[in-house]
Amino acid sequence: MECSEPGIIRDEELLAYLAGEKVRPLVVQHVARCHHCSSQVAAYRRMEHILRKRLYRCDCPSPHALGEYQIGLLDLSAAEQITTHLEHCIHCTRELATGEAFLRQPSFLIEQAPEHVSSSNHCQARHAQAPISEVIQQRVRRIAALLLPQPPRFAVYEASQHISPWPRRYEAENVCVVLQLEQVPGQSMAFQLIGFVTCDEAALQSSQGVLVQLFSSSQVVYTQYIDDLGNFMFFPLYPSSYKMELCFPDKTVVIDQLEI
Amino acid sequence: MESRDFPRFSTERGGVGKQENSEMQPGQISVQELLSRCSEETSKFLQQRVSDERFCMELFRRAIVQRDDESWTALYQQYASLVLTWVTQHQGAALLLNQEGGAALVNAAFAKFSQALTPEKMDKFDSLAALLRYLKLCVHSVVADELRARQWYQYEETLDAIEHEPASTDPADDIVASLSALYLWQIIQEELNGDGERTLMYLAYVQGMKPGEICQRHRQLFPAVDDVYRVKRNVLERLRRNRRLQTLFIHTRRSPEV
């Protein structure tokens, strides 16, 4: 059996058609009417699926091996193999990144831990965690943040609107924290608390990675870290009385009586 | 093993870290007492009070090194809720949680932990923080395993649709498939000429990349996407003529000879 119109389309075009790429309309028409070419497409499709099914990620280490590699549990030769593999495998590189991000995320157990003081530069250092006893010994200063009065507003606005206590602005030494509370759409009792932190004479990124803890009256603790833009967010929060602590390397800024 | 992300419970027994009942030796008390002390110390830790990790560590030691079932049950009781929290935190778990719920993944994570953490390996863990980090790693492993399996299953389903065959449920098929993959790859490599063909076949079938992506990543080998199709077509034709591979392309299932 031969092609009914030899030379009218190229074999590469059959593969492009098979891959779902945009091809000349003539290719589609020809495949529809040429038995030889439609059989060819079917054969290629079958081969492609078999090869992909058998070979897809056949040389990838297991996610667990990748994880052990990541935390340094593998022996040298196994670790080297994975390093080499990661040089060309996009899937494992992605999985490794996901795993890293996941392990970095604070968990309930570690959320409570104060941060290790690793630098004396105010608002400069990312923190490493340390034993509680060590931190206690270091006696990090705790500073209560002052709630600043809201800036004056236009009288007409005040007369016609309910005055919201948000956003709130707090200051503690050279740290300024602005908090905004917003209701979660569609959930009357759930809120998100957005924070913005600046330190005098320091770039926004300088407080990146600082641990922010939110303690509820029922002893639940939520943890976030300040991002590179100086922001953090707690979501969802439910009405309660909270206390917030921002754990800078040389001091802990405390915002007490945060009523939500 | 040093763990930077997890804090460590205090193991101090003097000065600031001095414990009440410090005369109680973890190695000499029952599993139930251990569980109770582990739970107590964890609560202290959560309240940012000085705590003692030895009781939780001993529970892990008995479960892993001694393979003691009662200790294993106690461990599960103590940490299942924490593991569930981790499962819900995992960005890849959302889809799985909708379909299977968290309990299955929690159990799978504990099973993975038990399987992967051999008594010999236990020596590498010098703190509770390191052990918990490993348990958390097992959560990631089971989620990633499941996501990979689903991806693979998609290819399986597509092939079944082409062949009108029901999907195999025989786990032996997976072993055959995995064994034959390396052999198949070896045969294919024997048929390939030059870097272009090797790169193309690896990226297209092992990495699952589309022709456009391959062309984009290797412009020097494939200046245009048509070049990818051309090389691919040549290779596929050559593979089709390969005697050893003909069996595979005719009978895709249960083909240990490949």
Side-chain angles (χ1 to χ4, degrees):
Chain A
M1 183 176 55
E2 287 192 353
C3 174
S4 60
E5 301 164 280
I8 195 167
I9 60 167
R10 290 171 290 127
D11 279 352
E12 293 90 283
E13 287 183 300
L14 284 184
L15 283 173
Y17 168 76
L18 179 62
E21 298 278 334
K22 196 174 176 186
V23 290
R24 293 182 295 151
L26 182 67
V27 176
V28 184
Q29 291 159 12
H30 177 75
V31 171
R33 61 176 178 250
C34 175
H35 186 57
H36 170 266
C37 290
S38 61
S39 307
Q40 189 83 332
V41 168
Y44 284 147
R45 178 182 286 129
R46 184 180 163 77
M47 283 180 81
E48 290 248 288
H49 282 298
I50 292 167
L51 291 174
R52 204 161 283 158
K53 185 195 151 196
R54 289 289 175 95
L55 298 176
Y56 183 66
R57 301 197 68 181
C58 67
D59 64 340
C60 288
S62 70
H64 197 76
L66 276 177
E68 291 200 339
Y69 167 82
Q70 187 190 332
I71 61 174
L73 267 184
L74 293 185
D75 61 47
L76 195 62
S77 85
E80 273 173 4
Q81 274 181 17
I82 291 186
T83 305
T84 309
H85 178 77
L86 287 170
E87 283 166 14
H88 57 254
C89 182
I90 47 168
H91 303 289
C92 288
T93 306
R94 204 176 295 143
E95 267 181 24
L96 191 74
T98 309
E100 266 172 10
F102 175 63
L103 286 180
R104 259 204 319 270
Q105 273 178 14
S107 62
F108 182 71
L109 195 61
I110 66 166
E111 281 163 4
Q112 334 303 322
E115 299 282 289
H116 175 59
V117 180
S118 58
S119 166
S120 59
N121 291 338
H122 179 48
C123 288
Q124 291 289 318
R126 278 172 155 267
H127 306 171
Q129 285 164 330
I132 289 174
S133 56
E134 206 177 296
V135 176
I136 290 169
Q137 284 168 341
Q138 284 163 339
R139 295 178 190 282
V140 174
R141 289 183 304 135
R142 293 173 67 81
I143 304 162
L146 273 179
L147 175 62
L148 301 180
Q150 292 210 354
R153 301 178 193 212
F154 290 114
V156 62
Y157 178 88
E158 289 191 1
S160 59
Q161 304 281 326
H162 165 71
I163 303 171
S164 164
W166 305 93
R168 289 181 184 175
R169 189 182 160 89
Y170 295 87
E171 268 186 15
E173 294 188 343
N174 62 342
V175 178
C176 174
V177 185
V178 178
L179 296 178
Q180 171 69 329
L181 187 74
E182 290 174 0
Q183 195 173 326
V184 176
Q187 294 183 49
S188 59
M189 297 302 277
F191 298 88
Q192 57 188 24
L193 184 65
I194 304 156
F196 176 58
V197 182
T198 52
C199 300
D200 287 352
E201 297 168 4
L204 283 177
Q205 298 97 319
S206 63
S207 47
Q208 184 183 354
V210 165
L211 175 76
V212 184
Q213 291 180 302
L214 193 64
F215 301 83
S216 78
S217 51
S218 55
Q219 297 299 311
V220 176
V221 183
Y222 304 89
T223 298
Q224 285 298 330
Y225 292 89
I226 299 175
D227 69 14
D228 56 344
L229 296 174
N231 295 307
F232 60 85
M233 184 167 86
F234 290 98
F235 163 87
L237 291 177
Y238 297 94
S240 180
S241 179
Y242 293 88
K243 181 176 79 171
M244 181 180 288
E245 293 191 0
L246 295 94
C247 306
F248 288 88
D250 61 344
K251 61 176 172 269
T252 298
V253 172
V254 182
I255 298 174
D256 227 340
Q257 294 179 330
L258 204 50
E259 301 295 335
I260 289 177
Chain B
M1 189 182 64
E2 187 54 45
S3 172
R4 285 181 301 145
D5 299 328
F6 280 76
R8 296 175 65 158
F9 284 64
S10 170
T11 50
E12 299 282 327
R13 297 185 63 204
V16 176
K18 185 166 183 174
Q19 304 298 306
E20 290 167 21
N21 300 326
S22 61
E23 70 283 355
M24 194 182 261
Q25 290 304 312
Q28 292 164 0
I29 59 178
S30 70
V31 170
Q32 281 318 305
E33 279 173 300
L34 265 184
L35 174 62
S36 143
R37 287 305 307 266
C38 172
S39 178
E40 247 173 62
E41 296 300 325
T42 303
S43 300
K44 282 187 200 170
F45 173 73
L46 296 179
Q47 291 160 18
Q48 303 197 45
R49 288 158 57 202
V50 177
S51 55
D52 187 342
E53 69 177 24
R54 291 176 306 144
F55 299 96
C56 298
M57 283 287 281
E58 174 62 15
L59 208 49
F60 272 101
R61 195 193 64 78
R62 289 191 198 177
I64 303 298
V65 179
Q66 297 180 357
R67 295 285 170 197
D68 176 50
D69 286 344
E70 196 188 353
S71 303
W72 183 255
T73 307
L75 211 57
Y76 187 94
Q77 200 178 323
Q78 174 64 28
Y79 293 110
S81 59
L82 179 65
V83 170
L84 181 61
T85 308
W86 290 338
V87 167
T88 55
Q89 282 177 346
H90 197 290
Q91 69 176 71
L95 175 75
L96 309 178
L97 283 169
N98 286 341
Q99 292 173 359
E100 296 176 20
L105 290 168
V106 170
N107 290 343
F110 273 100
K112 173 81 82 181
F113 182 77
S114 156
Q115 197 182 22
L117 188 52
T118 56
E120 301 74 48
K121 219 184 234 176
M122 187 74 183
D123 288 344
K124 294 183 179 175
F125 297 87
D126 61 357
S127 68
L128 181 61
L131 281 165
L132 290 177
R133 186 177 164 81
Y134 195 75
L135 182 57
K136 191 172 183 181
L137 169 68
C138 291
V139 170
H140 170 68
S141 299
V142 296
V143 171
D145 275 339
E146 187 58 34
L147 293 175
R148 273 195 200 185
R150 280 168 190 237
Q151 220 164 13
W152 185 84
Y153 190 65
Q154 277 179 351
Y155 289 126
E156 176 90 347
E157 276 185 325
T158 318
L159 189 57
D160 285 335
I162 291 171
E163 297 180 342
H164 310 292
E165 274 183 32
S168 165
T169 51
D170 184 355
D173 269 7
D174 294 353
I175 297 164
V176 169
S178 101
L179 284 178
S180 61
L182 295 172
Y183 188 50
L184 170 63
W185 185 235
Q186 216 177 327
I187 300 170
I188 291 171
Q189 281 195 307
E190 286 167 17
E191 290 283 350
L192 302 178
N193 303 316
D195 281 352
E197 291 189 354
R198 265 185 277 277
T199 305
L200 169 69
M201 291 305 280
Y202 181 80
L203 295 181
Y205 299 111
V206 182
Q207 290 281 301
M209 277 190 196
K210 293 189 170 146
E213 293 173 298
I214 297 171
C215 167
Q216 236 173 5
R217 280 171 75 105
H218 294 275
R219 284 274 179 210
Q220 72 283 24
L221 291 171
F222 311 103
V225 75
D226 258 2
D227 297 309
V228 177
Y229 289 122
R230 184 178 45 76
V231 175
K232 195 177 198 179
R233 181 235 164 215
N234 289 342
V235 175
L236 288 181
E237 282 302 323
R238 216 177 300 143
L239 296 181
R240 218 161 141 185
R241 290 192 297 270
N242 183 299
R243 285 191 155 202
R244 285 182 290 175
L245 292 179
Q246 275 171 359
T247 326
L248 172 75
F249 296 134
I250 295 166
H251 306 290
T252 58
R253 295 195 162 277
R254 297 177 188 279
S255 47
E257 71 277 14
V258 175

